[in-house]
Amino acid sequence: MQTTWDTYDHRVEALRPVSPVVRELVLAPTGEHLPYRSGQYVMLDVRRPGAPERAYSLADAPRPDGRVRLLVTRYPAGPTSGWVHDGLRVGDEVSLTGPFGTMTLSPGREGPVLLLGAGSGLAPVGALAQTLVSEQPDRPVVLCFSGRTSADALDRDRLERLSRRHWQLRYLCVLTREPAAPLHGRVPAMLGDLVGRLTGWEVYVAGSEGFVRDCRASALALGAAPAMVRTEEFFADPVPRPAGETLASGGAA
Ligand SMILES: Cc1cc2nc3c(=O)[nH]c(=O)nc-3n(C[C@H](O)[C@H](O)[C@H](O)COP(=O)(O)OP(=O)(O)OC[C@H]3O[C@@H](n4cnc5c(N)ncnc54)[C@H](O)[C@@H]3O)c2cc1C
């Protein structure tokens, strides 16, 4: 088991709001590339006094150019996520320590895979989806995102394109606060209707504590084996957002 981790210097190459509460960061290595596996996370040091290192999941499968992408949700009065949203600029230098986490694909497994992500919990399961379609094209994969409204549907175009290119990948976007959406409701309650029995499936879940807990319970009730359900909890629940808040007022620009 790995007991020491290295630190990798990066420069912020791009920053953009991708939902009312999430900012996407693209970081380019300035030295050695961070070695990692899809599903893992890093500790981000934004090199700002008062903004401690925080864990963020890597949102893409490893790339040959070493660039990494993070999806950072603004947490209420959160010093680090607040700095990422309000202070960090293109060209700033940051460090990543890691990789950490065991929510990775197990070698030698076959059979269908269910990936569940809420909000920025999409990051690790989206990376897993990329790896599955490129390395295990025979495994059926369902990637189910949970968000509030269509404005919160992170990476939607990218995932729709990926599922059009790979027959094995089914992408579902479930919205909790948009009654007119094709899929409206809470993922844990809808899981049986969305995917049916889960006997023999591998299940990966990431997001807030409540989402992870409820999805895990639903997956087990639908027949998934406990050892086949892997989770990553981000701890904090998303920011309570006033009705009518927009991208600009969300401070994510
Ligand atoms: C393995 C892992 C992966 C993660 N990946 C991502 C990711 O990809 N994207 C992302 O946006 N976030 C991710 N997080 C959350 C992230 O690490 C920070 O917790 C978040 O950005 C808040 O940091 P902050 O310094 O802004 O605020 P903090 O001061 O840490 O927190 C602000 C508020 O959030 C709540 N909170 C934060 N941490 C906890 C906790 N441990 N327990 C209970 N409540 C808490 C509290 O209400 C607190 O007042 C991940 C967390 C873990 C553990």
Side-chain angles (χ1 to χ4, degrees), residues 41 52 54-57 71-73 75-82 120 123 232-236:
Y41 66 92
R54 295 287 189 233
Y56 295 100
S57 297
L71 296 171
V72 178
T73 301
Y75 285 78
T80 301
S81 62
S120 47
E232 196 73 270
E233 292 177 14
F234 288 7
F235 300 115

Side-chain angles (χ1 to χ4, degrees), residues 130-153:
Q130 293 175 17
T131 296
L132 281 160
V133 298
S134 67
E135 294 180 9
Q136 297 187 277
D138 295 332
R139 298 186 76 180
V141 179
V142 178
L143 169 55
C144 181
F145 169 80
S146 170
R148 291 177 176 181
T149 68
S150 30
D152 298 284

